[in-house]
Amino acid sequence: MENLTEGLFKILFEKSPGSLLVKADAPHFTIMAASDAYLQVTSVKREDVLGKGFFEIFPDNHDDPGDETTARNVFTKVIKTGENVDVPVYRFDTLNPLTHQTEEHYWSCSNIPITGPDGKVIYILNTVIDISGEVKAMEAAVESENRLLLAAEATGLAVWDLSIPDLDFNFSSQMGAIFGHPPETSVTLNSIRNQVHADDMQNIIIKSYGEAIITGNYAYEARIFWPDESLHWIRVKGVVLFNEKKEPYRMLGTIVDITESKRDEIRKNDFIAMASHELKTPLTSLKAYVQLLETKLAGSPDPFVKTALLKAGNQINKMTGLIHSFLDLSKLEPGKLQLKRTVFDINKLIEESINDSRMITSSHALMFKPQGIINVNADREKIGQVISNFISNAIKYSPKGSTVAFSTEVVDGNCVDVSVTDEGIGIKPRDQEKIFQRFYRVDDEDKKHISGFGIGLYLSSEIIQRHKGKIWVKSTFGKGTSFYFSLPLAV
């Protein structure tokens, strides 16, 4: 029975996870039994270890009596206290039997005392797990994070991490400098928020946060005041992380100071506004003189005079439109573009825009069949500008004699979709993604002769977004294009 029990113990122990049974005969610590798993992870053979002292087989990598994680100190502590001693992570390098090279390894170790009838520890059950993969992965992650932080600081970026439930806010050292604080200054989420311009906090940041909870992306530009009361600009980008219940629990992102580029942009917009304003006066006079000539020469038998004055008037109208576009472009900074909302029928506005276009050109058939009244609460003049931009593009990029079709459709009972469709040359997929960017023009040989600065669609996009609407394009290259925008219905 005794032999059966001993044999059964041997079988069970040898098939157990990485375990070693050590006799508590300090300082020798004789190895009494070893499991297959233990032998495998430590690359030793059973016949080479049984009956040997533990430190004959597994000598300490270093001889530091103050290191409590060494096997000798751990075993001694188990015998002295009679309690389990766990070592979550320690390093012990092993020999690879294939390469005969020593390899770096990390282990997690548990040491359980086994006592005799007198209560004294007679054996120690030493169990190990090779965690080299996990440790090295963690080291790689830390190294990657450190490299990211160094790269971020080199480019002036501050990295931040916000826990949504408790508003626990962590950030890199660059954060204080971006908000104008000396090194080592303690800043908090509230102190940073207090430096943000009140208008931007209300109109941009809060709105962006609400959108981020839905879309998962967080991005905005805002004005901040430094402690010396100087005005600066920041750009914030981030992502929202959601738990298994699809609840937001964490936000990660970056902040960068864009003051210099923003000042350059403001100076450029101011110059455009000034130049455009100065151009308006002579252009207005020129238009008046052309109109006077048209009146005075209305009865002239010379057809050239009438045609020339008509073309001159069209070019003046085109130049006036470009100047107004530049003026609107300079007003797109927060707080400058003011919306004068009124309730109006979008169908009637489209009809008026079509009639205005027919007075300028008769080269295309403009088709629109409105269905009833569709009221929106928006800036009538600005939305009219969007429609005019759509019409102008449709005419410029489609052959003479073709049709430009308009449609309006109420969607989901809370918004209206407006579309303008041409039979033109179309837009390639790669260009559709950029078509609403400022100053973007399609780089095709067959379109280089078409005039324009790449402003109209950008302005249209900004106007629609300021109305909390959407703007998009659908096109098949060579077959035509449909531009759309959507606006909320008047409540």
Side-chain angles (χ1 to χ4, degrees):
M1 185 67 171
E2 186 175 326
N3 291 335
L4 179 61
T5 303
E6 184 179 340
L8 182 60
F9 166 78
K10 182 179 177 183
I11 293 172
L12 292 175
F13 190 89
E14 291 180 357
K15 300 304 178 185
S16 68
S19 301
L20 194 73
L21 188 65
V22 179
K23 193 173 182 180
D25 55 347
H28 198 62
F29 296 107
T30 305
I31 299 173
M32 306 301 294
S35 70
D36 294 343
Y38 196 103
L39 297 172
Q40 182 177 1
V41 297
T42 56
S43 302
V44 294
K45 296 179 180 179
R46 181 174 283 108
E47 58 269 23
D48 293 335
V49 301
L50 295 183
K52 302 287 182 66
F54 182 89
F55 298 104
E56 293 180 54
I57 309 301
F58 307 109
D60 281 343
N61 283 344
H62 55 85
D63 189 18
D64 180 5
D67 185 357
E68 295 185 356
T69 65
T70 63
R72 191 178 301 279
N73 288 339
V74 169
F75 289 167
T76 302
K77 185 176 180 180
V78 172
I79 295 172
K80 184 177 179 180
T81 64
E83 297 177 351
N84 295 1
V85 177
D86 295 330
V87 182
V89 182
Y90 74 97
R91 177 177 171 179
F92 184 84
D93 299 339
T94 60
L95 184 69
N96 187 319
L98 298 178
T99 63
H100 301 289
Q101 298 291 323
T102 301
E103 296 180 349
E104 181 180 305
H105 276 268
Y106 292 88
W107 312 83
S108 178
C109 174
S110 176
N111 299 274
I112 303 171
I114 300 174
T115 58
D118 57 358
K120 292 184 179 180
V121 177
I122 56 174
Y123 295 106
I124 300 171
L125 181 61
N126 172 253
T127 303
V128 298
I129 300 174
D130 188 348
I131 58 170
S132 301
E134 292 86 339
V135 170
K136 290 176 181 177
M138 186 178 296
E139 288 177 346
V142 171
E143 182 180 357
S144 177
E145 183 177 352
N146 290 335
R147 286 181 179 178
L148 175 62
L149 289 174
L150 287 173
E153 291 186 5
T155 56
L157 282 170
V159 181
W160 55 269
D161 181 347
L162 174 65
S163 173
I164 294 177
D166 54 12
L167 295 182
D168 182 26
F169 188 53
N170 296 296
F171 48 84
S172 61
S173 58
Q174 193 71 12
M175 182 72 74
I178 289 176
F179 281 80
H181 297 281
E184 308 304 325
T185 301
S186 177
V187 296
T188 64
L189 180 61
N190 285 334
S191 68
I192 286 173
R193 284 178 171 175
N194 288 336
Q195 290 184 240
V196 178
H197 193 291
D199 290 343
D200 292 349
M201 177 62 79
Q202 183 66 33
N203 299 327
I204 298 175
I205 299 178
I206 295 176
K207 176 177 176 289
S208 299
Y209 178 78
E211 292 176 351
I213 297 303
I214 299 172
T215 64
N217 295 312
Y218 194 52
Y220 63 83
E221 294 179 359
R223 293 165 289 178
I224 62 171
F225 292 102
W226 277 18
D228 61 4
E229 298 186 356
S230 59
L231 182 66
H232 295 256
W233 287 83
I234 58 170
R235 178 183 293 121
V236 180
K237 288 187 176 182
V239 294
V240 181
L241 304 182
F242 299 87
N243 59 24
E244 62 277 1
K245 297 180 181 179
K246 298 184 178 180
E247 298 170 338
Y249 74 94
R250 191 178 177 194
M251 297 179 73
L252 307 173
T254 60
I255 296 180
V256 64
D257 188 317
I258 58 169
T259 302
E260 287 306 313
S261 62
K262 208 67 181 180
R263 285 173 179 166
D264 288 342
E265 186 176 334
I266 291 171
R267 284 192 285 267
K268 178 188 65 182
N269 288 341
D270 288 344
F271 171 78
I272 290 173
M274 179 184 67
S276 300
H277 182 75
E278 292 300 320
L279 286 170
K280 283 178 66 179
T281 301
L283 196 61
T284 301
S285 299
L286 184 60
K287 184 173 183 177
Y289 283 123
V290 169
Q291 288 174 341
L292 286 172
L293 282 172
E294 284 180 332
T295 302
K296 192 166 185 177
L297 300 175
S300 174
D302 189 348
F304 171 77
V305 172
K306 186 176 182 181
T307 302
L309 289 174
L310 179 62
K311 289 183 177 180
N314 287 341
Q315 293 303 315
I316 290 171
N317 289 334
K318 189 177 293 185
M319 180 67 76
T320 302
L322 287 173
I323 289 174
H324 282 299
S325 293
F326 278 124
L327 284 171
D328 286 336
L329 184 65
S330 68
K331 295 177 183 177
L332 286 178
E333 296 300 325
K336 289 186 178 181
L337 184 64
Q338 301 295 328
L339 299 180
K340 299 177 182 178
R341 293 179 181 269
T342 58
V343 176
F344 62 90
D345 179 9
I346 190 75
N347 284 336
K348 188 173 181 180
L349 178 60
I350 293 172
E351 288 183 314
E352 291 176 7
S353 300
I354 290 173
N355 290 332
D356 290 342
S357 297
R358 283 173 177 156
M359 293 178 65
I360 298 173
T361 179
S362 57
S363 60
H364 292 69
L366 308 181
M367 307 296 295
F368 180 47
K369 295 180 180 180
Q371 301 293 323
I373 297 173
I374 302 176
N375 286 330
V376 295
N377 184 8
D379 187 317
R380 197 176 195 278
E381 182 182 343
K382 297 287 190 299
I383 299 302
Q385 186 178 350
V386 174
I387 296 170
S388 296
N389 282 334
F390 279 13
I391 295 173
S392 175
N393 270 357
I395 291 174
K396 280 197 297 185
Y397 293 99
S398 61
K400 291 182 178 180
S402 62
T403 298
V404 177
F406 302 77
S407 72
T408 55
E409 179 185 3
V410 175
V411 179
D412 297 331
N414 56 18
C415 65
V416 57
D417 286 356
V418 178
S419 69
V420 178
T421 302
D422 64 52
E423 299 173 338
I425 54 182
I427 305 170
K428 293 178 180 178
R430 70 168 185 265
D431 294 313
Q432 292 179 33
E433 299 175 358
K434 306 174 183 177
I435 201 72
F436 295 107
Q437 294 179 6
R438 179 165 45 181
F439 303 126
Y440 182 79
R441 297 203 67 213
V442 175
D443 188 19
D444 281 347
E445 287 295 329
D446 56 351
K447 296 179 183 178
K448 285 187 175 179
H449 67 283
I450 302 174
S451 63
F453 292 102
I455 297 174
L457 289 176
Y458 169 72
L459 283 172
S460 299
S461 174
E462 289 293 320
I463 289 170
I464 294 301
Q465 288 183 39
R466 299 290 172 93
H467 282 83
K468 297 183 179 179
K470 297 179 182 179
I471 190 168
W472 67 99
V473 63
K474 292 181 180 179
S475 181
T476 301
F477 188 65
K479 294 185 179 181
T481 301
S482 294
F483 281 97
Y484 298 82
F485 70 83
S486 175
L487 289 175
L489 294 176
V491 179

